[in-house]
Amino acid sequence: MKSTVPSKKKAPTHEKWSPNVVCGIDLTQFSKHTQFIALSSGVLSFFIIYGYVQEKIFHIPGFRSHGWFLSFLQFTVVTFLSFLDSRFISRSPKRRDPPPYYEFMILSWMTVGTIGLSTVSLGYLNFPTQVIFKSCKLIPVMIGGIIILGKKYKFSDYVSVLLMCFGLVWFSLADQTLYPEFNVTGIILILMALTVDAMFGNYQEKMMRKYPDFSNADIIFYSYSFGSIMLFVWLIATGAFLPSLKFVAQHKDVYPLTLLYSTLGYVGVQFVLGLIKSSGALICTIVTTMRKILTVVLSFIFFTKPFTEQYVWSGSLVLLGISISIYTRNKNAIYIGFNRTVGDGTRSLLNFIDSHRKPLSEQERTVLQV
């Protein structure tokens, strides 16, 4: 006799659509170790080249005043790439109508503020200085948390922020000494970009949780398409569009460099998201911090610029502050990962020794038995 008790249907989940797809390749078919090597290599290579191309664009004579136009071109290219990605590569099997557009308008405004202000700051700042400042997002996050939310932070958080602040001031003073064209406007712009970026990360995460059926490419498409419109309106309103268009028409290398720069950034973001999904936010933070260090070093190698030991010491203070922040916020994860790594390494070593050990002779066995 068949049971009349109705079977309980499992709640629908999104696990079926949770492969770690990067550039159309599902990396879950590979081991975690292979995924880490592939993804971290992608993050380092794509973003290091991205930084190189960005600095090369700003080394074009006369380009420094056209940062907003570069952001407009970047947003336009990324809109096109994310559209292709969302329709043909990362397409979700559960499509829904677009969410209320006002939510993506807010996300677009934050995206424009983060990327646009950061790009425009390069018209006033030395490239390594901009990278160093971008590494210190914790500062506006903490200030906002204290003033707006009344949060209380650990002593180690204050130490890390103080180290970052001292390092940034020292680095900026070195710039002011070495570069006659140093302009405090660049510092203000990059600090504004960091402040918006602190809000941007939380809001983007909220959007991804609220609309789980939308892929990363979907969210990037909506935010960048609206952002392109905002930047176009801004360029027209400020009268900067036609002069920038004329300048770019006279410098034919801007368009191919911008296409390469935008594509590298878009693909690099896919590798970052894949690394977070595969190895967690801690590992991703460490890898991206290493990327910024290499970017600064390579900037001094590939682009001729004055150098002083003050850059080394001030940069070390910033790095120390970042390291303290990473450690205190992820202490348990670091301990677990270290113990797991040591344990796996010890087991592998013992297995290797055991597999290469010669069998005991009869005489040795007799001695051991005695």
Side-chain angles (χ1 to χ4, degrees), residues 302-323:
F302 289 116
F303 296 95
T304 304
K305 51 175 68 73
F307 181 80
T308 173
E309 288 184 0
Q310 193 170 330
Y311 281 142
V312 178
W313 301 120
S314 55
S316 299
L317 281 178
V318 173
L319 180 60
L320 179 59
I322 295 171
S323 301

Side-chain angles (χ1 to χ4, degrees), residues 166-198:
F166 280 125
L168 290 175
V169 171
W170 202 2
F171 209 97
S172 301
L173 288 174
D175 257 11
Q176 191 175 13
T177 304
L178 296 176
Y179 292 89
E181 67 273 16
F182 176 83
N183 195 322
V184 73
T185 304
I187 302 293
I188 296 172
L189 288 170
I190 195 63
L191 288 177
M192 289 171 63
L194 283 176
T195 303
V196 178
D197 191 26

